[in-house]
Short mmCIF file of all heavy atoms in Angstrom, two decimals:
data_model
loop_
_atom_site.label_atom_id
_atom_site.label_comp_id
_atom_site.label_asym_id
_atom_site.label_seq_id
_atom_site.Cartn_x
_atom_site.Cartn_y
_atom_site.Cartn_z
N PHE B 165 106.46 122.45 108.32
CA PHE B 165 106.26 121.37 107.30
C PHE B 165 107.52 120.39 107.51
O PHE B 165 108.55 120.65 108.09
CB PHE B 165 106.41 121.99 105.92
CG PHE B 165 105.28 122.79 105.49
CD1 PHE B 165 105.34 124.18 105.39
CD2 PHE B 165 104.16 122.23 105.27
CE1 PHE B 165 104.31 124.86 104.96
CE2 PHE B 165 102.95 122.97 104.76
CZ PHE B 165 103.14 124.36 104.74
N PRO B 166 107.25 119.10 107.05
CA PRO B 166 108.32 118.12 107.23
C PRO B 166 109.61 118.54 106.50
O PRO B 166 109.42 119.02 105.39
CB PRO B 166 107.76 116.78 106.73
CG PRO B 166 106.40 117.13 106.31
CD PRO B 166 106.07 118.53 106.46
N GLU B 167 110.74 118.24 106.98
CA GLU B 167 111.97 118.66 106.31
C GLU B 167 112.03 117.79 104.90
O GLU B 167 112.50 118.28 103.99
CB GLU B 167 113.19 118.41 107.22
CG GLU B 167 113.51 119.56 107.96
CD GLU B 167 114.85 119.49 108.68
OE1 GLU B 167 115.93 119.45 108.05
OE2 GLU B 167 114.76 119.36 109.96
N THR B 168 111.98 116.51 105.10
CA THR B 168 111.86 115.65 103.91
C THR B 168 110.65 114.88 103.99
O THR B 168 110.43 113.93 104.94
CB THR B 168 113.09 114.61 103.94
OG1 THR B 168 114.31 115.45 103.99
CG2 THR B 168 113.12 113.75 102.59
N SER B 169 109.74 115.08 103.09
CA SER B 169 108.37 114.58 103.24
C SER B 169 108.50 113.04 102.53
O SER B 169 109.45 112.63 101.85
CB SER B 169 107.47 115.40 102.35
OG SER B 169 107.68 115.23 101.04
N ALA B 170 107.33 112.32 102.70
CA ALA B 170 107.16 110.99 102.28
C ALA B 170 107.28 110.97 100.71
O ALA B 170 108.06 110.22 100.04
CB ALA B 170 105.83 110.48 102.60
N GLY B 171 106.77 112.01 100.01
CA GLY B 171 106.79 112.09 98.66
C GLY B 171 108.17 112.41 98.10
O GLY B 171 108.61 111.86 97.05
N ALA B 172 108.86 113.31 98.84
CA ALA B 172 110.29 113.52 98.39
C ALA B 172 111.12 112.35 98.53
O ALA B 172 111.97 112.11 97.68
CB ALA B 172 110.79 114.65 99.33
N GLU B 173 110.92 111.51 99.52
CA GLU B 173 111.86 110.30 99.72
C GLU B 173 111.38 109.39 98.55
O GLU B 173 112.30 108.75 97.92
CB GLU B 173 111.38 109.60 101.08
CG GLU B 173 112.04 110.22 102.18
CD GLU B 173 111.79 109.69 103.52
OE1 GLU B 173 111.45 108.50 103.56
OE2 GLU B 173 111.77 110.34 104.47
N LEU B 174 110.11 109.19 98.28
CA LEU B 174 109.75 108.39 97.07
C LEU B 174 110.31 108.82 95.77
O LEU B 174 110.75 108.09 95.10
CB LEU B 174 108.26 108.33 96.97
CG LEU B 174 107.63 107.50 95.78
CD1 LEU B 174 107.81 106.04 96.02
CD2 LEU B 174 106.01 107.80 95.74
N MET B 175 110.30 110.20 95.61
CA MET B 175 110.81 110.71 94.27
C MET B 175 112.26 110.44 94.16
O MET B 175 112.83 110.02 93.12
CB MET B 175 110.56 112.21 94.30
CG MET B 175 111.04 112.97 93.10
SD MET B 175 110.39 114.65 93.11
CE MET B 175 111.07 115.20 94.67
N GLN B 176 112.99 110.59 95.22
CA GLN B 176 114.46 110.32 95.20
C GLN B 176 114.76 108.78 94.93
O GLN B 176 115.56 108.49 94.24
CB GLN B 176 115.02 110.60 96.56
CG GLN B 176 115.27 112.19 96.73
CD GLN B 176 115.42 112.69 98.12
OE1 GLN B 176 115.49 111.90 99.01
NE2 GLN B 176 115.31 114.04 98.27
N ASP B 177 113.85 107.95 95.50
CA ASP B 177 114.15 106.52 95.26
C ASP B 177 113.76 106.18 93.89
O ASP B 177 114.44 105.39 93.28
CB ASP B 177 113.21 105.75 96.27
CG ASP B 177 113.82 104.27 96.37
OD1 ASP B 177 114.95 104.05 96.18
OD2 ASP B 177 112.97 103.40 96.75
N MET B 178 112.80 106.73 93.39
CA MET B 178 112.40 106.45 91.91
C MET B 178 113.40 106.98 91.03
O MET B 178 113.78 106.39 89.94
CB MET B 178 111.03 106.95 91.49
CG MET B 178 110.63 106.44 90.16
SD MET B 178 108.88 106.69 89.75
CE MET B 178 108.25 105.06 90.12
N PHE B 179 113.98 108.14 91.28
CA PHE B 179 115.16 108.79 90.55
C PHE B 179 116.27 107.82 90.61
O PHE B 179 116.94 107.55 89.56
CB PHE B 179 115.39 110.19 91.05
CG PHE B 179 116.34 110.88 90.18
CD1 PHE B 179 116.18 111.16 88.91
CD2 PHE B 179 117.58 111.33 90.85
CE1 PHE B 179 117.16 111.80 88.06
CE2 PHE B 179 118.57 112.08 90.08
CZ PHE B 179 118.41 112.22 88.64
N ALA B 180 116.57 107.19 91.76
CA ALA B 180 117.76 106.32 91.82
C ALA B 180 117.47 105.06 90.96
O ALA B 180 118.45 104.56 90.35
CB ALA B 180 117.98 105.97 93.34
N LEU B 181 116.19 104.60 91.03
CA LEU B 181 115.89 103.40 90.23
C LEU B 181 116.19 103.72 88.54
O LEU B 181 116.61 102.99 87.93
CB LEU B 181 114.40 103.07 90.46
CG LEU B 181 113.81 101.94 89.50
CD1 LEU B 181 114.53 100.69 89.73
CD2 LEU B 181 112.32 101.72 89.69
N TYR B 182 115.61 105.01 88.30
CA TYR B 182 115.74 105.44 86.98
C TYR B 182 117.35 105.38 86.53
O TYR B 182 117.69 104.90 85.41
CB TYR B 182 115.22 106.85 86.78
CG TYR B 182 115.78 107.72 85.59
CD1 TYR B 182 115.36 107.42 84.36
CD2 TYR B 182 116.62 108.73 85.89
CE1 TYR B 182 115.88 108.20 83.30
CE2 TYR B 182 117.11 109.47 84.94
CZ TYR B 182 116.78 109.24 83.66
OH TYR B 182 117.21 110.09 82.55
N GLN B 183 118.10 105.89 87.43
CA GLN B 183 119.55 106.00 87.18
C GLN B 183 120.14 104.61 87.13
O GLN B 183 121.07 104.36 86.21
CB GLN B 183 120.24 106.91 88.27
CG GLN B 183 119.90 108.35 88.02
CD GLN B 183 120.70 109.18 89.02
OE1 GLN B 183 120.53 109.05 90.30
NE2 GLN B 183 121.53 110.09 88.60
N ASP B 184 119.79 103.73 88.03
CA ASP B 184 120.36 102.36 87.99
C ASP B 184 119.90 101.67 86.71
O ASP B 184 120.71 100.89 86.16
CB ASP B 184 119.81 101.61 89.24
CG ASP B 184 120.37 102.19 90.51
OD1 ASP B 184 121.39 102.84 90.53
OD2 ASP B 184 119.81 101.78 91.55
N CYS B 185 118.67 101.93 86.26
CA CYS B 185 118.24 101.22 84.99
C CYS B 185 119.01 101.76 83.85
O CYS B 185 119.46 101.05 82.83
CB CYS B 185 116.81 101.37 84.80
SG CYS B 185 115.87 100.42 85.93
N ARG B 186 119.27 103.05 83.83
CA ARG B 186 120.02 103.72 82.77
C ARG B 186 121.37 103.08 82.63
O ARG B 186 121.95 103.02 81.59
CB ARG B 186 120.11 105.23 83.04
CG ARG B 186 118.76 106.00 82.63
CD ARG B 186 118.49 105.96 81.07
NE ARG B 186 119.54 106.49 80.26
CZ ARG B 186 119.48 107.75 79.59
NH1 ARG B 186 118.41 108.48 79.86
NH2 ARG B 186 120.49 107.98 78.87
N ALA B 187 122.00 103.05 83.86
CA ALA B 187 123.30 102.49 83.94
C ALA B 187 123.39 101.06 83.27
O ALA B 187 124.55 100.60 82.85
CB ALA B 187 123.83 102.32 85.37
N LEU B 188 122.36 100.40 83.29
CA LEU B 188 122.24 99.04 82.66
C LEU B 188 121.62 99.06 81.17
O LEU B 188 121.19 98.07 80.77
CB LEU B 188 121.34 98.15 83.51
CG LEU B 188 122.01 97.89 84.93
CD1 LEU B 188 121.03 97.14 85.90
CD2 LEU B 188 123.20 96.93 84.75
N ASP B 189 121.68 100.29 80.63
CA ASP B 189 121.31 100.48 79.23
C ASP B 189 119.74 100.46 79.10
O ASP B 189 119.24 100.11 77.91
CB ASP B 189 121.93 99.54 78.31
CG ASP B 189 123.36 99.93 78.06
OD1 ASP B 189 123.66 101.06 78.27
OD2 ASP B 189 124.20 98.97 77.83
N TYR B 190 118.99 100.56 80.11
CA TYR B 190 117.58 100.58 80.00
C TYR B 190 117.06 102.00 80.14
O TYR B 190 116.95 102.55 81.33
CB TYR B 190 116.85 99.67 81.04
CG TYR B 190 116.92 98.23 80.60
CD1 TYR B 190 117.89 97.40 80.84
CD2 TYR B 190 115.76 97.68 79.90
CE1 TYR B 190 118.04 96.09 80.35
CE2 TYR B 190 115.77 96.35 79.43
CZ TYR B 190 116.94 95.64 79.67
OH TYR B 190 116.99 94.25 79.24
N THR B 191 116.77 102.63 79.03
CA THR B 191 116.14 103.99 79.14
C THR B 191 114.64 103.71 79.66
O THR B 191 114.17 102.65 79.58
CB THR B 191 116.09 104.71 77.82
OG1 THR B 191 115.27 103.83 76.91
CG2 THR B 191 117.46 104.78 77.22
N PRO B 192 114.00 104.82 80.13
CA PRO B 192 112.52 104.62 80.53
C PRO B 192 111.80 104.01 79.31
O PRO B 192 110.83 103.17 79.61
CB PRO B 192 112.03 106.00 80.93
CG PRO B 192 113.26 106.70 81.32
CD PRO B 192 114.38 106.24 80.54
N GLN B 193 112.07 104.45 78.02
CA GLN B 193 111.37 104.05 77.04
C GLN B 193 111.62 102.51 76.72
O GLN B 193 110.56 101.78 76.56
CB GLN B 193 111.74 104.83 75.72
CG GLN B 193 110.80 104.80 74.72
CD GLN B 193 111.19 105.76 73.57
OE1 GLN B 193 112.39 106.07 73.43
NE2 GLN B 193 110.24 106.34 72.92
N ARG B 194 112.95 102.11 76.72
CA ARG B 194 113.17 100.72 76.65
C ARG B 194 112.55 99.89 77.64
O ARG B 194 112.13 98.67 77.46
CB ARG B 194 114.70 100.55 76.48
CG ARG B 194 115.03 99.07 76.25
CD ARG B 194 116.62 98.88 76.29
NE ARG B 194 116.92 97.53 76.20
CZ ARG B 194 118.03 96.85 76.44
NH1 ARG B 194 119.02 97.58 76.93
NH2 ARG B 194 118.14 95.52 76.33
N LEU B 195 112.62 100.31 78.93
CA LEU B 195 112.16 99.59 80.01
C LEU B 195 110.70 99.29 79.83
O LEU B 195 110.12 98.16 80.04
CB LEU B 195 112.49 100.33 81.40
CG LEU B 195 111.91 99.70 82.74
CD1 LEU B 195 112.72 98.40 82.85
CD2 LEU B 195 112.09 100.63 83.85
N GLN B 196 109.95 100.39 79.42
CA GLN B 196 108.46 100.04 79.38
C GLN B 196 108.17 99.17 78.11
O GLN B 196 107.33 98.32 78.12
CB GLN B 196 107.82 101.45 79.10
CG GLN B 196 106.33 101.38 78.92
CD GLN B 196 105.48 102.67 79.05
OE1 GLN B 196 106.20 103.76 79.30
NE2 GLN B 196 104.25 102.59 78.83
N ARG B 197 109.02 99.44 77.07
CA ARG B 197 108.74 98.63 75.86
C ARG B 197 108.94 97.14 76.14
O ARG B 197 108.24 96.28 75.59
CB ARG B 197 109.53 99.19 74.71
CG ARG B 197 109.16 98.58 73.36
CD ARG B 197 110.18 99.14 72.33
NE ARG B 197 111.60 99.00 72.43
CZ ARG B 197 112.39 99.89 72.62
NH1 ARG B 197 112.06 101.20 72.70
NH2 ARG B 197 113.79 99.68 72.85
N GLU B 198 110.08 96.83 76.88
CA GLU B 198 110.40 95.40 76.99
C GLU B 198 109.79 94.72 78.17
O GLU B 198 109.96 93.50 78.45
CB GLU B 198 111.90 95.33 76.95
CG GLU B 198 112.48 95.75 75.65
CD GLU B 198 113.99 95.60 75.53
OE1 GLU B 198 114.51 94.96 76.39
OE2 GLU B 198 114.63 96.17 74.61
N TRP B 199 109.37 95.61 79.09
CA TRP B 199 108.80 94.95 80.44
C TRP B 199 107.73 93.93 80.24
O TRP B 199 106.91 94.13 79.46
CB TRP B 199 108.34 96.04 81.34
CG TRP B 199 107.88 95.48 82.71
CD1 TRP B 199 106.60 95.27 83.08
CD2 TRP B 199 108.77 95.18 83.82
NE1 TRP B 199 106.67 94.84 84.33
CE2 TRP B 199 107.90 94.76 84.82
CE3 TRP B 199 110.13 95.33 83.97
CZ2 TRP B 199 108.40 94.31 86.04
CZ3 TRP B 199 110.73 94.88 85.22
CH2 TRP B 199 109.79 94.37 86.19
N PRO B 200 107.73 92.73 80.87
CA PRO B 200 108.70 92.28 81.83
C PRO B 200 109.86 91.46 81.38
O PRO B 200 110.68 90.89 82.17
CB PRO B 200 107.80 91.47 82.82
CG PRO B 200 106.78 90.75 81.75
CD PRO B 200 106.53 91.88 80.70
N ARG B 201 110.03 91.40 80.06
CA ARG B 201 111.06 90.73 79.46
C ARG B 201 112.31 91.48 79.50
O ARG B 201 112.92 91.79 78.35
CB ARG B 201 110.73 90.11 78.05
CG ARG B 201 109.65 89.03 78.22
CD ARG B 201 109.14 88.56 76.79
NE ARG B 201 108.47 89.64 76.14
CZ ARG B 201 107.30 90.05 76.36
NH1 ARG B 201 106.44 89.24 77.29
NH2 ARG B 201 106.67 91.01 75.67
N VAL B 202 112.83 91.79 80.55
CA VAL B 202 114.09 92.51 80.71
C VAL B 202 115.22 91.75 81.39
O VAL B 202 114.96 90.61 81.80
CB VAL B 202 113.84 93.83 81.57
CG1 VAL B 202 112.84 94.80 80.89
CG2 VAL B 202 113.38 93.52 82.94
N SER B 203 116.34 92.28 81.45
CA SER B 203 117.38 91.43 82.09
C SER B 203 117.11 91.15 83.65
O SER B 203 116.34 91.97 84.25
CB SER B 203 118.79 92.34 82.02
OG SER B 203 118.71 93.35 83.03
N PRO B 204 117.63 90.12 84.01
CA PRO B 204 117.31 89.67 85.45
C PRO B 204 117.67 90.75 86.45
O PRO B 204 117.02 91.12 87.42
CB PRO B 204 118.15 88.51 85.75
CG PRO B 204 118.34 87.82 84.32
CD PRO B 204 118.40 89.06 83.37
#
Side-chain angles (χ1 to χ4, degrees):
Chain B
F165 290 111
E167 272 188 66
T168 304
S169 73
E173 286 180 26
L174 176 69
M175 182 170 59
Q176 285 160 7
D177 200 23
M178 186 170 264
F179 185 56
L181 174 66
Y182 156 75
Q183 289 183 299
D184 290 345
C185 290
R186 282 296 300 256
L188 293 166
D189 287 332
Y190 278 86
T191 61
Q193 204 170 25
R194 182 184 175 199
L195 182 63
Q196 183 170 354
R197 191 175 60 241
E198 297 183 14
W199 183 262
R201 290 175 293 281
V202 295
S203 76

